[in-house]
Amino acid sequence: MAELDHLVCVVDDLGTCTRQFAEAGFVAWRSPSGGTVQVPLAHCRLELRSTPWGRRLLRRWRRHSGSEHEPGTVVPVLRVDDLEEAVAALRSAGFAVHDPVDRERSAPGGERSRWRQADCDDPDVPLVIEYRSAPPDDRHGEREIRRVVVPVHDLDRAARAYRALLPGEGAVWRAGDTVLQLVPRSSVQRATVELTGAPLPDPLVKLGLSVRHRPGDVDPAAERLAQAVRYRTVSYEERDRIDDGQFAQFGQFLERSFPRVHAELELRTAGHSRLYRWAGRADGRPAALLLAHQDVVPVDDEAAWTYPPFEGVIADGYVWGRGTIDDKSRVLATLEAAERALADGWRPRRTVYLAFGHDEEIGGMHGAAKMADLLAAEGVVADFVLDEGGVIGLGLVDGVPVPTAMIMTGEKGFATVRLFTSDVGGHSSMPPRQTAVARVARAVADIQDHPLPLRLTDPVREMVARVAPYIRGPLGKLAGRAASLGKPLAYALALSRESASLVRTTTAPTVIRGGVKPNVLPQTAEAYVNFRILHGDTTESVLEHCRRVVRDKQVGVELAPGEHHSEPSPISSTDSPVFRMLAELATAVVPEAVVTTGLVPGATDARHYHHVARERFNFAPILVDSADLSGIHGTDERLSLANYARLIDFTGRLLRRL
């Protein structure tokens, strides 16, 4: 019944925006009235309006959002087969539709066409138009609008309006060749418009426009990473939910994509995990174990993503999707670098192992642990192991204005403590002084209110000392005395959520449950508290701390049964030749970076390899800020094409240094 006719994009500076479109290779023409610019695309067009000309549209939003000025607002305009029928459908759905108005519109070449418009004074309803005569042919190459994400104030109300005009269901609708997706304005403030077939300069991306790259437009390596994302290699705590078929297909994809690697390297498997041995030219101890993992965490809310998390979309200079940072990019980058080295006829002087686990996100006990046991049985002790965990941070260290390459030399331990109690139960009309749920809740509060003490470890002390010359003000002076200061510096680091995890064993209550019905007293209740253990603490000391601070003796405290736990890792030295080599390679790919160190606050597969490698480091040379980090295990995980190229370059340099 309806198709997307055009999108109205309200801009601050029409002249500048028009020039930017021209520089990006678009054809644009200005309407005779002077306040509108038309950008023809296949099937529809973009209509750019300066803010004064867009005020009528903006008025539809002001009453609802309170904003007096919203440049960048995008309004969809639908072309319908029968205007009277569309208006009737909207009215029957409960919307007040203004009477249609006959108008004329200018087309390229000075042609005129008669058209009619129906409008709703409602921010969640698109404008609706009908051409009396056929619309002009605005097709321009293969550039088209693939998807429009429209923030709405009332998702249910907007869905009723779109349902009256378009085929579709839920929050996704199809308008001709374009998908319209509705999202709550509370989660996304600005519409995004996905184009195909053309690059866009940054100023246009900031308007909410984006570009989905077509096959052939980007480096084939990026295309392969995008394909890798499409395999749903998701690890679930409930192992019966894991799709083994996806892991098997992903393995077949790797073998197709990297034929030289699979022809020349020895491959063994442990479940779906893959252990490659790249034989060196000389005998002796293996040089390195390069780790990565194939599995990813589940996605909670797919509708909240800008692009679906398992479609592997390449847009706006990024590969989007679950696993792009954590950690398929490192699997693929390692194989890309090895494939290129083999194509050049290169082999390492000493043996290198590549180990790609399949269950890192749920402990690695059936993947990394099994591969480490295979190596141990053969007497393998490599110079070092390199895994995920360190990055080149942008603004991640407070007060440091330069990129910070954090080559991690150790990893915190982890443990989950279970709190549990029981009661006789009964009817809620005759409760005891405390129910089982209340006792467990108080125990959780006791633990939360008594965190483990702050402590400044050597890796964190050195991390601060290395970046101190770049920090201005009092904090810089304090950081400059890191070698002699303990508690004052630890207190300063504890003020920031990002750095607080570096100076204490963290406490995170994650699960609490009990009871079966609102009017039934619970007979049992339990809670789980997760700890990331700083060096100087142990699993046993954390457990004893919990028993000491939980005052209710009717609440049991134990390590969570069935949950893995680990002690803090050994610390590698920054005086190591391996650390110096990694630092040199980091600054080779990002020359402006300052090299520092630190501790991995989470858990990686590297913890399973301590007995088969002399040293361990965690690092990948990708430039990330806090927004990038929020996508890891969160919404809109993505990796820039520049970062991926940098990761492949770094890995290739590392292999040749070995």
Side-chain angles (χ1 to χ4, degrees):
M1 178 182 178
E3 294 186 354
L4 179 67
D5 182 77
H6 65 280
L7 294 175
V8 178
C9 184
V10 181
V11 300
D12 270 328
D13 188 334
L14 191 62
T16 299
C17 192
T18 304
R19 185 177 68 254
Q20 290 165 350
F21 268 98
E23 291 170 350
F26 288 84
V27 174
W29 54 275
R30 187 179 292 271
S31 65
S33 58
T36 305
V37 169
Q38 306 284 344
V39 181
L41 305 167
H43 311 300
C44 54
R45 67 189 185 283
L46 285 169
E47 183 176 291
L48 311 178
R49 296 190 185 185
S50 60
T51 303
W53 282 81
R55 278 183 183 144
R56 184 185 67 79
L57 292 172
L58 292 179
R59 275 198 297 271
R60 304 170 71 206
W61 273 264
R62 285 177 186 162
R63 280 190 294 276
H64 296 264
S65 66
S67 173
E68 288 299 316
H69 183 68
E70 280 195 59
T73 298
V74 173
V75 180
V77 180
L78 301 179
R79 181 171 65 251
V80 298
D81 295 333
D82 187 318
L83 185 62
E84 282 76 13
E85 181 181 340
V87 169
L90 284 171
R91 284 177 174 158
S92 67
F95 297 96
V97 185
H98 295 175
D99 291 334
V101 178
D102 286 339
R103 301 190 180 185
E104 289 188 345
R105 109 183 243 290
S106 299
E111 299 177 3
R112 314 289 289 184
S113 65
R114 297 286 297 174
W115 58 286
R116 304 173 67 200
Q117 173 178 299
D119 191 8
C120 297
D121 191 16
D122 190 313
D124 292 341
V125 182
L127 304 182
V128 184
I129 64 174
E130 178 205 37
Y131 280 100
R132 289 181 180 274
S133 56
D137 185 4
D138 281 350
R139 292 178 180 271
H140 182 70
E142 296 181 2
R143 294 167 179 164
E144 60 182 322
I145 297 174
R146 177 71 60 80
R147 178 186 295 265
V148 184
V149 178
V150 187
V152 295
H153 297 82
D154 186 330
L155 193 60
D156 291 336
R157 177 176 173 81
R160 289 200 303 273
Y162 280 78
R163 189 179 298 114
L165 300 170
L166 297 170
E169 60 182 39
V172 179
W173 311 89
R174 182 167 293 279
D177 296 304
T178 305
V179 171
L180 294 172
Q181 180 179 350
L182 309 182
V183 296
R185 183 166 285 271
S186 59
S187 62
V188 178
Q189 291 301 312
R190 178 172 290 179
T192 58
V193 183
E194 178 191 316
L195 303 172
T196 60
L200 283 178
D202 285 343
L204 297 185
V205 173
K206 291 176 182 176
L207 287 176
L209 305 178
S210 65
V211 174
R212 176 179 289 198
H213 301 279
R214 295 173 301 175
D217 287 347
V218 297
D219 187 279
E223 290 285 356
R224 284 188 284 272
L225 176 58
Q227 291 177 55
V229 170
R230 294 167 196 153
Y231 294 94
R232 294 180 178 244
T233 54
V234 181
S235 279
Y236 296 97
E237 295 293 342
E238 307 83 1
R239 291 184 177 271
D240 59 344
R241 297 182 59 192
I242 296 174
D243 188 342
D244 288 315
Q246 288 290 302
F247 281 91
Q249 291 173 34
F250 182 60
Q252 294 165 8
F253 160 74
L254 295 180
E255 292 173 15
R256 291 193 307 271
S257 301
F258 304 102
R260 289 187 177 89
V261 168
H262 290 88
E264 300 190 36
L265 274 63
E266 175 191 341
L267 170 63
R268 288 177 289 174
T269 59
H272 297 296
S273 292
R274 308 173 73 85
L275 177 63
Y276 298 83
R277 181 179 180 271
W278 195 350
R281 303 189 308 274
D283 294 331
R285 187 174 63 248
L289 288 165
L290 305 183
L291 310 184
H293 63 88
Q294 309 166 54
D295 60 322
V296 301
V297 296
V299 173
D300 288 335
D301 184 4
E302 293 198 17
W305 286 59
T306 301
Y307 299 99
F310 294 104
E311 277 194 11
V313 171
I314 304 178
D316 310 329
Y318 291 86
V319 183
W320 298 73
R322 179 62 86 223
T324 47
I325 294 181
D326 184 19
D327 186 38
K328 284 182 176 176
S329 56
R330 294 180 61 258
V331 173
L332 272 289
T334 303
L335 292 173
E336 292 283 355
E339 187 82 3
R340 295 178 188 184
L342 290 169
D344 293 339
W346 181 87
R347 283 179 60 198
R349 186 173 63 86
R350 293 165 57 202
T351 297
V352 174
Y353 286 91
L354 316 177
F356 305 142
H358 73 277
D359 62 344
E360 190 271 351
E361 299 291 359
I362 51 176
M365 297 305 295
H366 297 280
K370 299 291 186 184
M371 291 188 290
D373 288 343
L374 285 174
L375 296 174
E378 296 171 358
V380 170
V381 180
D383 281 351
F384 72 98
V385 61
L386 180 65
D387 201 1
E388 63 178 334
V391 295
I392 302 180
L394 295 169
L396 298 184
V397 180
D398 287 346
V400 179
V402 295
T404 308
M406 294 175 282
I407 302 174
M408 305 305 196
T409 56
E411 179 178 292
K412 295 175 74 174
F414 71 96
T416 300
V417 171
R418 176 178 178 254
L419 309 174
F420 59 96
T421 191
S422 60
D423 207 334
V424 294
H427 197 280
S428 63
S429 61
M430 295 178 289
R433 289 188 61 186
Q434 287 195 68
T435 67
V437 166
R439 285 205 300 272
V440 164
R442 283 182 179 272
V444 170
D446 286 338
I447 292 175
Q448 183 100 62
D449 293 342
H450 295 84
L452 282 106
L454 296 171
R455 183 185 308 109
L456 196 66
T457 59
D458 288 341
V460 176
R461 193 189 306 272
E462 183 174 356
M463 178 195 79
V464 174
R466 283 173 173 265
V467 300
Y470 302 90
I471 304 176
R472 297 179 180 177
L475 184 58
K477 294 180 181 179
L478 183 64
R481 299 174 58 194
S484 59
L485 293 178
K487 283 195 173 181
L489 186 55
Y491 280 116
L493 292 172
L495 296 175
S496 166
R497 178 180 176 183
E498 286 76 14
S499 57
S501 64
L502 298 176
V503 291
R504 69 157 33 112
T505 294
T506 55
T507 304
T510 53
V511 176
I512 186 167
R513 57 187 170 223
V516 294
K517 199 178 178 192
N519 64 344
V520 176
L521 296 175
Q523 291 184 310
T524 61
E526 64 177 356
Y528 291 84
V529 184
N530 184 255
F531 294 87
R532 300 300 168 128
I533 305 171
L534 187 65
H535 295 76
D537 292 327
T538 65
T539 300
E540 188 59 34
S541 69
V542 167
L543 193 59
E544 287 304 315
H545 169 80
C546 293
R547 288 171 175 157
R548 186 169 58 253
V549 300
V550 172
R551 292 168 292 179
D552 190 340
K553 301 308 177 185
Q554 295 186 62
V555 174
V557 180
E558 66 178 6
L559 286 177
E563 294 284 329
H564 303 296
H565 61 272
S566 69
E567 304 298 337
S569 74
I571 299 294
S572 299
S573 171
T574 55
D575 288 333
S576 159
V578 176
F579 183 91
R580 291 195 293 271
M581 175 185 66
L582 295 174
E584 291 172 11
L585 295 176
T587 53
V589 296
V590 183
E592 66 273 24
V594 173
V595 175
T596 187
T597 183
L599 296 172
V600 180
T604 69
D605 271 346
R607 68 184 183 277
H608 297 294
Y609 292 87
H610 296 324
H611 58 303
V612 293
R614 294 189 171 189
E615 296 181 290
R616 59 82 56 78
F617 299 96
N618 299 75
F619 180 67
I622 57 173
L623 281 160
V624 299
D625 57 18
S626 57
D628 295 318
L629 292 181
S630 69
I632 302 174
H633 289 207
T635 299
D636 275 350
E637 184 178 349
R638 64 182 189 174
L639 181 71
S640 72
L641 299 178
N643 262 333
Y644 189 49
R646 189 177 292 117
L647 185 56
I648 296 171
D649 181 26
F650 172 87
T651 309
R653 291 172 184 259
L654 173 61
L655 289 173
R656 292 176 187 273
R657 285 288 293 270
L658 296 177

